[in-house]
Amino acid sequence: QVQLVESGGGLVQAGGSLRLSCAASGSSILNINVMGWHRQAPGKQRELVATITRRNSTDYADSVKGRFTISRDNAKNTAYLQMNSLRPEDTAIYYCYITTFWGQFYWGQGTQVTVSS
């Protein structure tokens, strides 16, 4: 089992920055492979934002490339999402997730990010 605790969301003006954190704990943390973030805006489907593998290979949605940076600290079992140049369309609930080498999938509880124009 893996538990994920997110932090760092909030309200920011357009052009501002936020950093999200996702801390993993539990009996399966040594098996964590991919860490990442999805987001879901009101009335829209959940979409992938960014992912990072255990070997620090990253991938981003086109809409956030050049503005968001995902990183991880394997010693702390924590992933980070640095979000710069935020736009009102980035407003959403951001969900951390992880996958294990055994194919298990876990979600965080979500953290609200609101960008005002």
Side-chain angles (χ1 to χ4, degrees), residues 51-107:
T51 62
I52 184 167
T53 68
R54 194 167 186 89
R55 294 188 176 186
N56 292 317
S57 176
T58 60
D59 195 19
Y60 297 92
D62 288 342
S63 59
V64 306
K65 282 181 181 177
R67 301 188 297 122
F68 291 11
T69 302
I70 190 169
S71 61
R72 67 191 281 174
D73 184 335
N74 289 329
K76 296 181 179 180
N77 299 303
T78 301
Y80 305 95
L81 186 67
Q82 178 67 43
M83 304 185 294
N84 298 329
S85 302
L86 283 161
R87 304 167 180 168
E89 53 265 37
D90 294 318
T91 295
I93 299 175
Y94 284 70
Y95 296 92
C96 173
Y97 81 97
I98 67 99
T99 63
T100 70
F101 289 107
W102 306 115
Q104 297 163 304
F105 195 100
Y106 296 91
W107 288 105

Side-chain angles (χ1 to χ4, degrees), residues 7-53:
S7 60
L11 173 65
V12 65
Q13 288 189 329
S17 299
L18 285 172
R19 189 172 90 147
L20 306 182
S21 299
C22 174
S25 62
S27 60
S28 297
I29 56 174
L30 294 180
N31 293 319
I32 293 175
N33 179 16
V34 177
M35 302 185 79
W37 299 86
H38 282 73
R39 67 185 180 187
Q40 187 165 20
K44 295 187 177 181
Q45 289 188 331
R46 192 173 293 193
E47 63 174 353
L48 181 66
V49 177
T51 62
I52 184 167
T53 68

